[in-house]
Amino acid sequence: MIQFKNITLKVQHQILLEDAILHIAKGDKVVVRGKSGCGKSSLLKSMVGALPLEKGSIQVNDLVLSAKTVGHIRSQIAFIGQEPVLGAENVRDALLLPFTFKAHSETPPTNQQISELLDRLHLSNEILDKPSKRISGGEKQRIAILRALLLRKTIFLTDEITSALDPASRAAVMEELFRPEITLLSVSHDPEWINTCSRIIDINNTQLIEVEK
Amino acid sequence: MISMYALMLIPLAIFFYLQLGLIRDTLLAITRMTVQLVLVGLYLKYIFQLNNPLVSLLWVTIMLVVANFSVLNKVGLNRRLFFWRSLAGVGGSTLFVSGWFILIAIRPDPIYDARYMIPIVGMILGNCLRSNVLSLERFYSGIRKNENEFTTYLLLGATLREATRPYLRDAIRTAVSPSIATIATMGIVSLPGMMTGQILGGALPTTAIKYQIGIMACIFTAMVVAAFMNILLSLPVAFDDHQRLRSDIFCNKT
């Protein structure tokens, strides 16, 4: 489903990955580990075309990432970082933001869908009227996940998202992201997260190396 | 005239007292201004005497090109990439609005009378310059500082136009807000230079006001159009085919 084919990634003249290969099947839950600065986040960014590839190619669902396909590929992928950006003044506007874009303007979510998801992610309805600046990092991450679920994204790229969460919220987030229909490529140091993933990849000497569980 | 220069000794004394290190720059600026204005006075005298449409147009072209270089330099944008596009933005809006003012409001005879064309283009261009520097600077630094936010918009399905819209809004607002404030207080707080000049030159205040309102409308329109066009025209060269902000659009800055 997702294939990194012989990719070379270079950031500020430093080679992070060289000729690296990774195949991910639909529904796989992959965690990438490695020293800080080794290219974990860059790997995620390259998949949504935010970082140019030096060499090689990335294929998502039979589409090779290129100028023509980048829009379509991005539409299938949710990217949740350590400090996600909500991009609007208050939480409700942030959730509805993507539906103001032409690509999603015809499928706005119902209030009921939003309430249900808030519930599943251990968030209260009151959060909708809070200013985005006033909510915690953990809440931001869950709002970003909720927004991706509203967009019916099935591929999730997550970067250290459990570090700011309390145990109950973490459990709620993990329950959503580890559903069978979701393909997950994550970066994490959290032992419980790593244990729950179906595959572990280490970045070592510019290579992606699969570790037996 | 000497007494006017003498007046400048006061700010220079203040700079000296505060050890601002601005004395050299100020003296240089005054010298440049004097030389440029004397030269321009001479050029204009001949250009007005000649009153040849081709010569006037050539002079207007020089003004536009210099203004354009000045915008790109101040913003620190790569001239090679942006020159033609920003020239089209600044030039298009200035010429359109100047043409409107000359053809509809003034209707001089001959229509290309240098005595009207050059000062009016100059006045409008000078104001476009400032708004363009402000808006371009604000736009690209906004995207650069908020790269995560910008990428988030793209990942949420925004097209390049949609993803850049918040920064475009912010840039245009920054560029025009000071002008709206100036327009709102005009006549009470400030008497504009052109109007004062006309009154000092012997025109009736009522006539001076008519022209002033006209020129303010022109300046404001040209400023907004130029700022907007310039950003829109720059988008295709500032981003690559994956909607990533190109790193080589800024020169000298990292």
Side-chain angles (χ1 to χ4, degrees):
Chain A
M1 172 178 207
I2 301 169
Q3 296 183 55
F4 293 88
K5 293 181 179 168
N6 307 88
I7 63 161
T8 298
L9 263 183
K10 212 168 162 187
V11 174
Q12 284 164 350
H13 307 295
Q14 193 194 345
I15 293 178
L16 296 174
L17 291 172
E18 193 167 23
D19 227 4
I21 298 172
L22 178 63
H23 292 204
I24 299 171
K26 192 168 188 237
D28 272 0
K29 311 287 183 275
V30 180
V31 61
V32 180
R33 303 185 306 186
K35 288 184 220 124
S36 68
C38 73
K40 304 183 293 281
S41 301
S42 301
L43 177 72
L44 300 190
K45 282 184 189 156
S46 71
M47 202 180 138
V48 288
L51 263 188
L53 289 180
E54 197 71 15
K55 261 196 254 158
S57 67
I58 296 173
Q59 196 175 326
V60 179
N61 282 337
D62 304 327
L63 283 180
V64 177
L65 183 68
S66 70
K68 259 194 190 151
T69 59
V70 68
H72 190 71
I73 288 176
R74 280 175 185 155
S75 73
Q76 305 171 38
I77 298 175
F79 188 111
I80 320 284
Q82 289 179 41
E83 183 66 28
V85 177
L86 295 189
E89 288 295 309
N90 71 42
V91 174
R92 188 189 304 274
D93 289 346
L95 281 179
L96 296 178
L97 175 72
F99 303 97
T100 64
F101 301 142
K102 224 186 288 152
H104 306 293
S105 62
E106 276 158 25
T107 51
T110 61
N111 284 335
Q112 201 197 339
Q113 280 172 310
I114 295 177
S115 305
E116 255 177 52
L117 280 168
L118 281 171
D119 219 36
R120 270 162 48 186
L121 286 161
H122 290 229
L123 292 163
S124 72
N125 260 300
E126 279 89 70
I127 200 170
L128 291 176
D129 296 312
K130 284 193 185 165
S132 303
K133 280 182 192 152
R134 289 284 145 76
I135 65 171
S136 71
E139 286 172 325
K140 261 186 204 162
Q141 276 171 346
R142 280 176 286 161
I143 292 295
I145 292 169
L146 202 163
R147 181 160 67 181
L149 292 170
L150 286 176
L151 289 168
R152 301 197 169 77
K153 306 249 191 185
T154 51
I155 302 173
F156 276 75
L157 309 182
T158 65
D159 195 349
E160 293 283 5
I161 59 168
T162 50
S163 50
L165 298 178
D166 59 77
S169 310
R170 180 170 72 174
V173 163
M174 287 180 71
E175 200 184 320
E176 290 307 320
L177 296 187
F178 283 83
R179 286 174 188 276
E181 67 270 23
I182 283 176
T183 307
L184 179 67
L185 175 58
S186 62
V187 170
S188 182
H189 286 108
D190 175 352
E192 193 184 328
W193 181 283
I194 294 171
N195 265 330
T196 318
C197 282
S198 57
R199 296 172 62 191
I200 301 172
I201 306 291
D202 277 351
I203 295 187
N204 208 333
N205 264 333
T206 74
Q207 293 301 310
L208 296 166
I209 295 156
E210 179 125 23
V211 180
E212 289 298 321
K213 281 203 74 171
Chain B
M1 209 60 224
I2 303 280
S3 57
M4 291 298 128
Y5 284 111
L7 196 59
M8 301 283 289
L9 288 174
I10 301 172
L12 288 175
I14 296 175
F15 294 163
F16 181 72
Y17 174 69
L18 292 174
Q19 298 283 304
L20 279 182
L22 283 179
I23 293 179
R24 218 183 80 100
D25 284 357
T26 311
L27 287 175
L28 205 70
I30 296 172
T31 314
R32 271 191 64 166
M33 174 188 76
T34 308
V35 172
Q36 286 164 3
L37 288 182
V38 166
L39 286 179
V40 139
L42 288 176
Y43 293 149
L44 287 183
K45 200 177 135 203
Y46 285 114
I47 289 175
F48 289 173
Q49 269 170 8
L50 273 175
N51 214 7
N52 177 314
L54 285 179
V55 175
S56 305
L57 275 180
L58 183 70
W59 182 248
V60 166
T61 311
I62 294 173
M63 283 161 66
L64 289 172
V65 169
V66 172
N68 190 35
F69 269 125
S70 158
V71 170
L72 295 178
N73 274 344
K74 283 217 178 86
V75 184
L77 286 175
N78 187 330
R79 272 175 289 180
R80 197 173 45 79
L81 282 176
F82 290 99
F83 182 81
W84 292 108
R85 286 166 182 273
S86 100
L87 184 64
V90 175
S93 60
T94 303
L95 292 181
F96 165 69
V97 173
S98 313
W100 184 283
F101 190 61
I102 292 169
L103 296 179
I104 292 177
I106 303 184
R107 277 172 281 172
D109 184 33
I111 211 85
Y112 54 79
D113 196 342
R115 204 170 273 282
Y116 293 96
M117 178 160 44
I118 290 171
I120 287 168
V121 170
M123 198 151 34
I124 293 172
L125 185 60
N127 285 279
C128 282
L129 204 77
R130 216 175 14 165
S131 79
N132 267 288
V133 170
L134 280 173
S135 59
L136 278 172
E137 219 288 298
R138 187 76 174 206
F139 182 73
Y140 284 109
S141 66
I143 293 177
R144 224 167 36 156
K145 273 187 215 142
N146 299 292
E147 222 171 335
N148 276 337
E149 186 182 65
F150 176 69
T151 313
T152 302
Y153 294 142
L154 292 177
L155 288 176
L156 291 174
T159 58
L160 182 61
R161 285 276 173 90
E162 287 169 328
T164 51
R165 175 152 295 185
Y167 312 102
L168 178 62
R169 271 200 212 116
D170 188 44
I172 302 287
R173 189 179 295 129
T174 309
V176 302
S177 294
S179 304
I180 295 176
T182 311
I183 290 176
T185 55
M186 187 151 291
I188 303 175
V189 179
S190 61
L191 277 186
M194 186 186 86
M195 195 175 130
T196 316
Q198 272 188 310
I199 294 173
L200 289 178
L204 284 173
T206 42
T207 315
I209 283 165
K210 216 173 72 186
Y211 281 108
Q212 186 59 43
I213 292 173
I215 200 80
M216 284 315 293
C218 288
I219 287 174
F220 193 69
T221 307
M223 266 174 54
V224 176
V225 173
F228 183 60
M229 292 293 293
N230 243 0
I231 292 178
L232 286 192
L233 288 172
S234 71
L235 289 181
V237 285
F239 294 86
D240 68 8
D241 55 6
H242 288 59
Q243 294 89 39
R244 295 176 291 235
L245 191 61
R246 287 173 59 161
S247 54
D248 58 348
I249 63 163
F250 292 97
C251 43
N252 311 325
K253 291 181 185 174
T254 46

